Amino acid sequence: MEEAAVHRKSGVRERTDEEIAEAVEALLADMSLEEKVGQMCQCQASNFSFGHAVESDPPEKLIAEGRAGSVLGAFDITRVFELQRIAVEQSPHGIPLLFHADVIHGSQTIFPIPLAWSSSWDMEAIQEACAIAAKEASASGTIFNHGPMIDITRDARWGRVSEGAGEDPFLGALIATAQVAGYQGASLHNEETLVACLKHFIAYGAAEAGRDYNSVDISEGTLRNVYLPPFKAALEAGAGSVMNAFNIYQGVPVAANMFILKELLRKELGFDGILISDYGSVDEIRIHGHAKDTKEAALKAVHATMDIEMVTRAFDHLPALVKEGKVSERQIDDAVRRILYVKYKTGIMDDPYRYIRPEKEIEYHFNEAHLQASLELARKSAVLLKNNGVLPLAKDTGKIALIGPFADSKDLLGPWQFSRYGHETVTLYEGLLEKGIPAERLLYAQGSGVNKAIDGGIEAAIMQAREADIVVLALGESSDMSGEAASRMDVIIPEAQQRLAEAVIAEGKPTVLVLTNGRPLVLDWYDRHVDAILETWFLGSQAGHAIADVLTGDYNPSGKLTMSFPARIGQVPVYYNSFNTGRPVTDTNGKDKFISKYLDGPNDPLYPFGYGLSYTTFDISDITLDRREMTADDTITVTVNVTNTGGVSGEETVQMYIQDCCGSIVRPVKELKGFRKVWLEPGESREVTFTIKVEQLTFWSPASGYAAEPGTFKVYIGSSSRDLSDGLEFELLDELNHNGEELN
Ligand code: GLC
């Protein structure tokens, strides 16, 4: 790879946007129609596929002939150099390639899965993780990320909840913004940054029954008030690209949807970056039943302003469509302008090999500082769901029986990772040993497989449990049980592990459940049968150390759920920011018949959004509002006192929810509108404040568009969406529309 260094240019100056525009026009004017279309086609670096197999010429041929402008999945620096060299030296204008990859929660150093890191509610830590991922990935030549995934998700059956930030639009928007800042840094010209790609636009997480790629049927109000906020915020943060979702919206596949892509994304949100199709989704317009053939599908995608088609060659029809007058060359030019702009902006037009830096791979990949950052974020991502006092493990805890398929497993990285260092993932057993627990006191038994029993596994586990003073059950899902194309009908701990748990728990020892999983699970049986439950998701390269830090109390857990854990699968989708209905369950009518409830179980999730315990306790009190009326020009200050009433220092995430009590469309019973993370010593108190502005009261309705409507609101403060103060009322006295005009 020294050869790449020879080709790299030093001191390449960043071009201004004016200079880029001029260069793009000059190049565009000299390109043939076929060459322009070539820039709109993405090929795969190898036959490693992210979806169904694709019939196409090999990448070397496509690139040399100018029939590909970007490459998906070139994870190897040598392959990147090889393909870039073909583009530069053999293609008609020598236009360099963009190299795309899915960098979802780390490149070589793996961080907690996004659903885990979202539980940290720590934007700086998430941003740092993405910046580190960008440094590691770009060192190998990756320029363009297929991330962040910022789909709101309310259905635990959907495997891709693991890739997102849970059910809340406000928190999802903050986390999306942090990720864009982390990946893109201050300038895309910096070769240590990646072009962020917001996916999947839009409402992919609303797939019916949680079945991946399934139909979506939601109102425009739900689209705009629930699924759009993270995209809106991330676009305002300057994201360079967007990827369409596989689903339909109001009957039209998003890849062909003029309202979603051209009206909403391009015109209303002002997005002028690269719009890339998700894998095969252009041709799938035909399979959905919205185009008679691939050619018509390509036509519809280009009319919806799709710029790059991901790897299935549907855009090979474009030259003919232009010649038939069905697509204008201006539409092609507009797409190629957006692509060439990014190629100039990232500097590869002036220095094609600038990202290919083997020396930086050696310096950055899986280095100590990155591993430390991963460990720190992993600690913050664990969520303590139950604890009757058995945790933290006392230093003089006798023998610990560590039992289960995840007790000494390296499958702690989760879906969507391609690290070469998976074999160095720290297991829970290793993490506990490194805490100084002597091996003779750490009794191990795998007990069962993830989905299958092991001959004699339960018997061996029982033997260990009998010897032990406390049992740590390490159970959950393997990495391939969540992520893409991994929906589950029963979101439970698999049967073989349930059998193991029942047998071990029958031994009557104090039992801690440590969970490794990519989605909320139904844990009601465990909640009734174990003494403590620690949710650790997939915590990444340093998982074993992070879990051991929490179990031993070296780190006091501070994570808060960003997705509700259902009490029963029949509740799903279950989420906190729901509507009241006309017949809500109240504190007094639970025995009535004609109310919105189940005959065979509760309405409430087992563990709600915003919930997470600590090894200490906190008291939230003295909540005051500095005013009870506000106009659109005013703000209200909410003041709260937080006290650590327990025996160890710890962090509480104080949450503020607001309810719009009456609107032109019904509004959720509460919505997260602010939070404060507060670290307190035992006995320490701190006053924290929140500010309420009219923008936080704004929502979209068919009648008024985006507006804040006058009327009564309630403020709730607490430690989760369930553990809240009584509502404190205030009045908004006038109406403000999205242009900031007062309407009355
Ligand atoms: C997959 C995913 C998308 C990913 C793409 C390329 O089908 O839906 O999230 O970025 O293909 O890997």
Side-chain angles (χ1 to χ4, degrees):
M1 281 316 307
E2 294 63 40
E3 213 180 331
V6 168
H7 291 72
R8 277 176 13 214
K9 296 172 185 164
S10 60
V12 171
R13 181 179 62 82
E14 182 172 358
R15 294 183 187 231
T16 64
D17 280 357
E18 294 71 29
E19 289 169 333
I20 290 175
E22 197 177 323
V24 166
E25 291 313 312
L27 179 53
L28 207 52
D30 202 40
M31 292 168 73
S32 69
L33 172 60
E34 285 68 20
E35 233 197 309
K36 294 175 191 174
V37 169
Q39 288 297 307
M40 299 170 70
C41 300
Q42 181 169 96
C43 66
Q44 298 200 94
S46 63
N47 56 10
F48 175 88
S49 168
F50 293 84
H52 42 67
V54 170
E55 286 299 312
S56 89
D57 287 330
E60 293 84 353
K61 183 173 188 324
L62 293 170
I63 293 165
E65 294 172 358
R67 293 165 56 207
S70 57
V71 177
L72 171 61
F75 292 105
D76 176 79
I77 194 168
T78 306
R79 186 63 172 157
V80 170
F81 178 59
E82 187 179 50
L83 295 178
Q84 191 67 301
R85 197 165 182 184
I86 293 171
V88 171
E89 297 178 357
Q90 298 178 37
S91 72
H93 273 87
I95 299 173
L97 301 162
L98 288 167
F99 288 91
H100 298 221
D102 289 85
V103 183
I104 307 302
H105 54 109
S107 175
Q108 297 304 323
T109 304
I110 302 301
F111 289 86
I113 56 171
L115 185 59
W117 77 27
S118 71
S119 305
S120 72
W121 297 48
D122 187 331
M123 301 310 137
E124 291 71 30
I126 292 168
Q127 181 172 334
E128 182 193 19
C130 295
I132 288 170
K135 283 175 75 168
E136 292 192 356
S138 60
S140 302
T142 298
I143 302 167
F144 195 115
N145 190 9
H146 282 175
M149 188 277 209
I150 58 176
D151 300 311
I152 293 295
T153 64
R154 296 171 150 177
D155 194 321
R157 292 168 293 185
W158 193 48
R160 303 200 77 167
V161 303
S162 57
E163 303 170 45
E167 69 197 45
D168 182 70
F170 173 84
L171 187 64
L174 291 175
I175 291 174
T177 301
Q179 293 188 81
V180 169
Y183 289 128
Q184 297 197 158
S187 165
L188 290 181
H189 196 261
N190 180 333
E191 65 270 24
E192 298 201 333
T193 64
L194 298 176
V195 178
C197 182
L198 308 178
K199 69 184 190 182
H200 306 78
F201 197 76
I202 187 172
Y204 184 17
E208 280 179 4
R211 197 179 80 222
D212 209 351
Y213 318 118
N214 202 5
S215 300
V216 164
D217 194 355
I218 58 175
S219 67
E220 186 171 355
T222 298
L223 176 85
R224 287 178 177 275
N225 294 322
V226 177
Y227 293 92
L228 187 58
F231 286 95
K232 203 168 163 123
L235 287 170
E236 286 164 5
S241 70
V242 170
M243 183 186 297
N244 72 281
F246 286 115
N247 48 278
I248 57 175
Y249 174 72
Q250 295 191 356
V252 176
V254 168
N257 199 304
M258 296 292 278
F259 166 69
I260 293 288
L261 298 182
K262 191 164 185 181
E263 298 309 313
L264 177 58
L265 178 62
R266 294 288 192 195
K267 288 184 181 169
E268 183 179 325
L269 297 176
F271 176 64
D272 196 31
I274 289 178
L275 176 56
I276 181 170
S277 71
D278 199 347
Y279 192 106
S281 59
V282 170
D283 188 39
E284 287 170 14
I285 296 168
R286 167 181 62 84
I287 301 171
H288 274 287
H290 186 65
K292 65 178 184 298
D293 54 26
T294 304
K295 183 174 179 180
E296 188 184 21
L299 168 74
K300 290 182 177 237
V302 168
H303 281 311
T305 75
M306 191 71 72
D307 296 318
I308 295 179
E309 197 279 330
M310 192 187 293
V311 311
T312 62
R313 307 308 309 174
F315 278 5
D316 284 343
H317 291 289
L318 292 186
L321 286 165
V322 171
K323 287 168 183 132
E324 293 163 17
K326 293 176 180 171
V327 169
S328 70
E329 185 142 9
R330 174 182 165 69
Q331 286 173 291
I332 302 298
D333 288 352
D334 288 346
V336 178
R337 268 191 197 92
R338 291 188 284 260
I339 295 165
L340 292 177
Y341 173 82
V342 171
K343 292 192 173 187
Y344 274 104
K345 196 71 184 168
T346 54
I348 58 174
M349 296 299 284
D350 298 309
D351 182 11
Y353 306 97
R354 61 193 276 105
Y355 286 81
I356 304 169
R357 294 163 290 136
E359 76 284 358
K360 289 298 182 186
E361 285 192 312
I362 295 163
E363 180 185 347
Y364 291 155
H365 286 184
F366 212 70
N367 73 21
E368 277 313 307
H370 295 177
L371 289 170
Q372 183 60 28
S374 178
L375 170 59
E376 287 168 12
L377 183 49
R379 288 178 182 140
K380 295 173 181 177
S381 303
V383 185
L384 184 61
L385 299 176
K386 179 181 179 181
N387 184 27
N388 65 7
V390 294
L391 288 179
L393 300 174
K395 297 296 182 201
D396 61 354
T397 299
K399 292 181 179 176
I400 301 168
L402 180 58
I403 295 170
F406 294 93
D408 191 26
S409 166
K410 292 187 180 293
D411 185 15
L412 303 178
L413 301 181
W416 285 112
Q417 65 81 22
F418 308 94
S419 173
R420 297 191 306 278
Y421 295 88
H423 62 285
E424 297 194 36
T425 303
V426 180
T427 73
L428 175 52
Y429 182 79
E430 291 163 348
L432 288 171
L433 278 185
E434 291 196 25
K435 280 290 163 200
I437 297 171
E440 58 272 19
R441 281 209 293 120
L442 194 53
L443 313 177
Y444 167 75
Q446 184 180 351
S448 82
V450 173
N451 288 298
K452 287 189 182 140
I454 295 175
D455 287 347
I458 288 180
E459 293 73 12
I462 289 171
M463 297 301 287
Q464 300 292 45
R466 282 181 184 157
E467 283 297 302
D469 299 287
I470 189 167
V471 172
V472 175
L473 268 177
L475 309 177
E477 296 178 315
S478 53
S479 291
D480 60 3
M481 292 169 72
S482 60
E484 185 174 1
S487 298
R488 294 181 70 201
M489 281 192 273
D490 292 316
V491 291
I492 57 174
I493 292 175
E495 193 68 23
Q497 298 179 60
Q498 176 72 29
R499 298 281 75 79
L500 169 66
E502 288 166 358
V504 168
I505 288 165
E507 292 302 309
K509 300 295 178 66
T511 302
V512 175
L513 172 63
V514 175
L515 282 169
T516 295
N517 48 296
R519 56 161 51 85
L521 297 174
V522 173
L523 299 171
D524 62 331
W525 185 86
Y526 290 89
D527 188 65
R528 286 182 277 113
H529 288 85
V530 301
D531 301 282
I533 300 175
L534 181 65
E535 175 56 77
T536 73
W537 315 105
F538 290 98
L539 288 181
S541 301
Q542 295 288 288
H545 288 318
I547 303 170
D549 286 346
V550 173
L551 289 177
T552 59
D554 286 350
Y555 182 82
N556 184 356
S558 55
K560 298 283 186 176
L561 294 179
T562 60
M563 214 178 153
S564 307
F565 274 52
R568 305 275 285 279
I569 184 63
Q571 293 179 331
V572 175
V574 61
Y575 46 94
Y576 86 92
N577 44 359
S578 57
F579 298 129
N580 202 32
T581 79
R583 298 191 178 190
V585 170
T586 65
D587 296 339
T588 57
N589 71 357
K591 296 215 183 311
D592 294 0
K593 177 171 177 55
F594 299 101
I595 55 172
S596 182
K597 69 175 185 179
Y598 300 99
L599 294 179
D600 55 352
N603 287 8
D604 291 336
L606 181 61
Y607 307 121
F609 174 86
Y611 172 81
L613 300 175
S614 169
Y615 291 149
T616 188
T617 51
F618 298 95
D619 180 54
I620 295 172
S621 61
D622 307 325
I623 302 165
T624 59
L625 276 59
D626 68 343
R627 60 193 316 156
R628 293 297 180 121
E629 290 185 344
M630 68 181 281
T631 68
D633 301 324
D634 298 324
T635 60
I636 289 179
T637 299
V638 184
T639 303
V640 179
N641 189 63
V642 194
T643 302
N644 180 339
T645 50
V648 295
S649 58
E651 180 181 72
E652 179 60 293
T653 299
V654 182
Q655 300 155 44
M656 175 178 76
Y657 296 83
I658 294 178
Q659 178 185 12
D660 185 345
C661 298
C662 183
S664 59
I665 58 173
V666 296
R667 307 291 301 123
V669 294
K670 67 193 81 161
E671 296 177 285
L672 179 72
K673 294 295 182 184
F675 61 89
R676 295 285 180 276
K677 293 166 72 71
V678 188
W679 184 272
L680 297 171
E681 294 305 319
E684 185 183 3
S685 287
R686 180 118 20 100
E687 188 175 87
V688 295
T689 60
F690 297 89
T691 301
I692 298 173
K693 300 175 183 153
V694 71
E695 289 75 21
Q696 291 157 283
L697 312 179
T698 301
F699 65 97
W700 185 89
S701 70
S704 313
Y706 286 98
E709 298 178 356
T712 304
F713 292 78
K714 286 184 179 176
V715 184
Y716 304 89
I717 303 291
S719 60
S720 83
S721 60
R722 176 183 65 196
D723 308 293
L724 290 172
S725 65
D726 293 336
L728 285 79
E729 287 192 4
F730 69 90
E731 292 296 317
L732 175 63
L733 299 177
D734 55 13
E735 183 163 2
L736 177 76
N737 75 5
H738 68 295
N739 297 317
E741 299 145 12
E742 296 189 19
L743 300 179
N744 57 14

